[in-house]
Amino acid sequence: GIIYVGAIVFRGILDGTVIGKKRFPNVPNAMGTLMLDCTLSGSRGTPLMREAYTESFLYAGMVLVFVLLSNVTMMGVLAGLLVQTVKTVAETEKEAKTLKDLIAHMDALWAWALKHDDDESGTIDELEFRSMIGFKETAKILRRMNVDVEGMVSVASFVFQQHEGKLDKKNFMNMVLDLRGSQKATVKDHMESRKYLHAELNRVFGRTLTNDLSTFGNSNDEV
């Protein structure tokens, strides 16, 4: 951006001069001169300033101003890259620490769940889960993992129905991870929500239909 604008300015101002013909005959050449001799050069445009000074002190001053502006811009870009790199490294370290803590909490939660495995099957059924969830220790571990405890209780029946009434360690942990507050919604979550809603509607309307049929049967018996 600044090189292109500078090339247009120097091309117009130095038109007709010796340095203009030599260094800035057209905009592309002017951009090359400003980039190679002023921005990227280790001499920071000193030879070009000397050439410009032979034409006019004003021209040398303009080259100096461009050198300062281009180097400040370059420093800003490098500083932005450095900040972004430091930020990325910090976020990576934070994620690694979070993952390490999460694994520790998951192991603690499963060990706690197995203490309530009354039949010692190595899995958790819904009754064992509801027994476990009633202890403060369970809620404490789940809150450390940023899990919505109330949401877990409300969808537990649906999850257990999907897995034939029992959850092994893998399925249990998947349920816990899916209910973390920091978890972003995915297409899978929307599909699971649809299944849950469909199951609840079938349960409610199925019960209503059963009651209606029972009432109708009793009425016929009375008649």
Side-chain angles (χ1 to χ4, degrees):
I2 189 173
I3 293 177
Y4 178 69
V5 173
I8 295 175
V9 172
F10 280 105
R11 173 70 184 86
I13 293 177
L14 299 177
D15 186 29
T17 64
V18 175
I19 189 174
K21 294 179 181 178
K22 180 181 178 182
R23 298 279 193 166
F24 304 94
N26 50 56
V27 173
N29 284 343
M31 291 178 65
T33 299
L34 295 177
M35 179 180 291
L36 298 177
D37 294 341
C38 297
T39 305
L40 302 179
S41 174
S43 62
R44 293 292 184 264
T46 303
L48 186 62
M49 278 187 270
R50 294 183 185 278
E51 288 186 43
Y53 186 77
T54 59
E55 295 283 345
S56 170
F57 176 80
L58 178 62
Y59 296 158
M62 292 177 61
V63 173
L64 176 61
V65 170
F66 176 82
V67 170
L68 293 175
L69 289 176
S70 62
N71 281 276
V72 169
T73 303
M74 185 68 69
M75 289 175 61
V77 172
L78 294 176
L81 291 174
L82 180 61
V83 170
Q84 186 63 35
T85 301
V86 173
K87 181 180 178 182
T88 302
V89 172
E91 289 178 349
T92 302
E93 292 179 351
K94 182 179 179 181
E95 289 178 1
K97 184 178 182 301
T98 301
L99 180 60
K100 182 178 179 181
D101 293 340
L102 180 61
I103 292 174
H105 291 321
M106 289 172 64
D107 290 339
L109 180 61
W110 181 246
W112 178 252
L114 290 180
K115 290 182 179 180
H116 297 83
D117 183 15
D118 298 331
D119 56 4
E120 299 182 354
S121 62
T123 59
I124 299 296
D125 60 30
E126 187 173 355
L127 291 177
E128 293 169 343
F129 169 77
R130 295 193 179 278
S131 173
M132 177 189 74
I133 208 71
F135 289 87
K136 291 183 179 180
E137 183 66 24
T138 307
K140 188 183 298 184
I141 296 175
L142 290 174
R143 288 195 178 95
R144 287 175 187 167
M145 299 174 66
N146 195 24
V147 174
D148 183 3
V149 180
E150 294 181 358
M152 176 179 284
V153 173
S154 63
V155 301
S157 297
F158 171 69
V159 175
F160 278 100
Q161 287 175 8
Q162 283 189 312
H163 296 88
E164 299 180 353
K166 289 184 178 291
L167 296 179
D168 57 15
K169 181 178 180 179
K170 179 182 177 181
N171 293 324
F172 180 73
M173 291 308 174
N174 284 338
M175 177 181 70
V176 173
L177 293 176
D178 287 342
L179 291 172
R180 293 179 66 208
S182 59
Q183 188 77 0
K184 295 182 179 179
T186 62
V187 175
K188 176 186 174 183
D189 295 324
H190 291 298
M191 295 299 294
E192 293 295 333
S193 298
R194 290 181 60 185
K195 290 180 181 178
Y196 175 71
L197 181 60
H198 187 265
E200 287 297 304
L201 289 174
N202 284 339
R203 181 177 63 83
V204 173
F205 286 105
R207 182 182 302 171
T208 303
L209 181 60
T210 301
N211 292 336
D212 290 343
L213 291 175
S214 300
T215 303
F216 180 75
N218 293 332
S219 299
N220 288 338
D221 291 339
E222 292 176 0
V223 173

